Amino acid sequence: MSAVLKTSDEQVPLVSLRNLNKHYGDFAAVDNINLDIRDGEFLTFLGSSGSGKSTTLAMLAGFETPSSGEILVNGQSLVKVPPHKRDIGMVFQRYSLFPHLDVRANIAFPLTLRKLSTAEIEKRVDAMLKLVQLEAFAHRRPAQLSGGQQQRVAIARALVYEPRILLMDEPLGALDKKLREDLQDELRHLHRRLGITIVYVTHDQEEAMRLSQRIAIFSHGKIVGLGTGSDLYQAPPSAFVASFLGNSNFLRAKVVDTQQAMFEQRPLLVPAQSTQHLGQEVLLMIRPEQAQLLTVEQANATPLPLGHNEIDARVEEIVFLGESLTCSVITAGGSRLSLKALSIAATAHQPGSEVRVRWQAARTCIYYDWNESDLLKGAGSH
Ligand code: ADP
Ligand code: MG
């Protein structure tokens, strides 16, 4: 058939990374990455330090040459196109502003370089100053600005020549938490207003969630998870992703039939399994807020709803966090779970008290392969 019909889900991606590799000697910093980036999306590379995020971004920007593989933009190879011809803007963690130029001249710099007319430069710089709300600071030098303001100048400078794609490598990494959150909100709004494609790098999972339409999770130079924050959180593709993104409880169990696994001599309901897994050791994963903690009296008074599991445990510690609290419990077999509840709903529990933990079996994720090191929270991150 010659006519190709495409649904909106199958539109040609703006950028495609195909079997992309970067080797330093024997070491694969980027290990055969395949990724399609959609036009107009906000996509974040999330991973611990050294996982290959910056190297991938640098190849996209043209600062690094791939050892092998392809980078396509609209189906055209980018590998031989020099950085300044790529229609890509870039913002780094360090502001890299010119210290001797004021804000206006810093923002104007890429346009001056491209030899635009003075009138055009004035017009565009004014628009950028307005966009990042720095009109009042146009004549200050970088040293006279706060870290957050300097980073807004860097963003304006990257956007001023209207690149199709904006790459940002930990741009908020040097700022304190409150300011970082404000700028995250600003960036999200900026993205929505401009309709530009943003590829963002961070090691901070909360930042990734707050900003992105999709997240690519990096580990050892590979993408090990790709999807919306919500998909990756609700149904992590591996135990590694489950432990990397958010908090998770892992229970070691053994599959005993297609709907049950044995945990500490107690059968638990699990999502339906194929018979090939019978007898296999598995990890069950439950998110902290998805299990309910009941006192023994509460549990005795409320029959276990259909499709739910229940295990006995004892409260070890309760940590009050304001609107929520975290409750660590331990089972008779010595498994620990950390559960999260709204403060107002969990006043009945005390350290040392016997409790029942209940959850909906359908909420359980099940994993057949994992490395023990995958289960350590944020292994290798900083
Ligand atoms: P991330 O941005 O995820 O922290 P990077 O992409 O910067 O990670 O680095 C990935 C790996 O490649 C790291 O182990 C790093 O030490 C290594 N690496 C990066 N650049 C070089 C280089 N120029 N020479 C040798 N190794 C490098
Ligand atoms: Mg990096």
Side-chain angles (χ1 to χ4, degrees):
M1 255 175 55
S2 58
V4 182
L5 295 174
K6 290 195 178 85
T7 66
S8 59
D9 271 358
E10 293 172 278
Q11 49 182 251
V12 180
L14 177 61
V15 182
S16 289
L17 309 183
R18 298 270 165 80
N19 304 315
L20 194 65
N21 285 282
K22 181 69 185 182
H23 295 273
Y24 294 108
D26 289 345
F27 177 72
V30 173
D31 192 0
N32 212 42
I33 279 184
N34 283 286
L35 175 68
D36 284 344
I37 301 170
R38 300 171 188 154
D39 194 6
E41 81 171 318
F42 198 129
L43 175 76
T44 294
F45 295 172
L46 172 67
S48 53
S49 175
S51 58
K53 309 178 297 292
S54 294
T55 308
T56 306
L57 207 69
M59 289 192 278
L60 201 46
F63 304 138
E64 292 280 3
T65 312
S67 304
S68 62
E70 262 297 354
I71 301 172
L72 305 172
V73 172
N74 284 328
Q76 302 283 312
S77 175
L78 207 64
V79 170
K80 296 217 166 65
V81 180
H84 65 278
K85 296 222 170 113
R86 288 192 180 196
D87 201 10
I88 287 175
M90 179 102 197
V91 179
F92 300 94
Q93 174 169 350
R94 299 281 157 223
Y95 321 120
S96 53
L97 300 176
F98 302 109
H100 58 289
L101 298 180
D102 68 8
V103 168
R104 173 170 280 281
N106 262 285
I107 298 175
F109 187 79
L111 303 181
T112 317
L113 207 64
R114 285 170 174 77
K115 302 200 166 55
L116 268 69
S117 73
T118 313
E120 181 67 19
I121 292 177
E122 291 293 302
K123 197 178 105 202
R124 290 216 204 170
V125 172
D126 284 340
M128 280 301 133
L129 283 168
K130 183 148 183 262
L131 188 72
V132 297
Q133 296 166 35
L134 285 176
E135 294 121 308
F137 300 88
H139 298 294
R140 291 209 193 169
R141 293 199 175 176
Q144 299 166 303
L145 299 172
S146 72
Q149 290 165 338
Q150 290 184 47
Q151 207 52 321
R152 299 223 295 267
V153 178
I155 292 167
R157 189 180 57 181
L159 289 174
V160 74
Y161 59 93
E162 297 170 2
R164 183 107 184 250
I165 304 169
L166 180 62
L167 308 181
M168 308 183 91
D169 194 345
E170 312 240 8
L172 311 182
L175 308 176
D176 62 30
K177 188 174 161 63
K178 177 72 179 79
L179 187 56
R180 211 160 63 221
E181 288 179 1
D182 289 348
L183 279 175
Q184 285 162 5
D185 291 341
E186 272 183 42
L187 263 179
R188 216 180 38 241
H189 298 153
L190 200 66
H191 172 254
R192 209 177 300 154
R193 259 182 293 155
L194 297 177
I196 190 176
T197 305
I198 298 184
V199 185
Y200 192 96
V201 164
T202 183
H203 65 274
D204 177 346
Q205 44 148 320
E206 220 180 288
E207 178 164 278
M209 294 272 201
R210 204 181 251 267
L211 284 173
S212 331
Q213 288 163 331
R214 287 196 307 159
I215 299 173
I217 298 185
F218 276 64
S219 173
H220 299 290
K222 291 181 162 50
I223 292 177
V224 296
L226 177 67
T228 64
S230 154
D231 287 348
L232 290 169
Y233 183 83
Q234 308 293 348
S238 64
F240 172 80
V241 172
S243 84
F244 189 78
L245 203 68
N247 295 311
S248 34
N249 295 296
F250 292 108
L251 304 180
R252 287 160 202 277
K254 188 175 192 168
V255 179
V256 289
D257 71 40
T258 54
Q259 311 220 21
Q260 292 189 85
M262 206 57 121
F263 165 73
E264 296 184 357
Q265 283 121 30
R266 166 191 295 272
L268 296 178
L269 293 171
V270 295
Q273 304 302 302
S274 82
T275 49
Q276 76 180 82
H277 295 300
L278 288 184
Q280 212 171 322
E281 305 279 339
V282 292
L283 276 183
L284 307 180
M285 194 285 288
I286 306 140
R287 292 295 190 187
E289 72 286 2
Q290 267 161 3
Q292 205 193 348
L293 207 57
L294 289 90
T295 63
V296 175
E297 299 75 55
Q298 286 169 335
N300 288 339
T302 355
L304 187 65
L306 211 64
H308 280 61
N309 287 313
E310 183 177 78
I311 54 179
D312 299 312
R314 182 167 42 79
V315 175
E316 282 199 311
E317 192 184 31
I318 297 173
V319 181
F320 180 74
L321 297 167
E323 60 191 296
S324 69
L325 51 80
T326 300
C327 197
S328 311
V329 305
I330 186 163
T331 64
S335 301
R336 286 199 163 76
L337 288 91
S338 175
L339 306 168
K340 196 173 186 103
L342 291 177
S343 302
I344 47 166
T347 48
H349 307 297
Q350 298 298 329
S353 60
E354 299 297 323
V355 289
R356 303 264 171 82
V357 181
R358 285 183 177 178
W359 72 94
Q360 205 185 336
R363 297 283 187 186
T364 315
C365 295
I366 184 161
Y367 301 110
Y368 306 102
D369 307 296
W370 65 94
N371 294 319
E372 288 303 317
S373 60
D374 289 353
L375 313 184
L376 304 173
K377 177 69 196 168
S381 71
H382 49 217

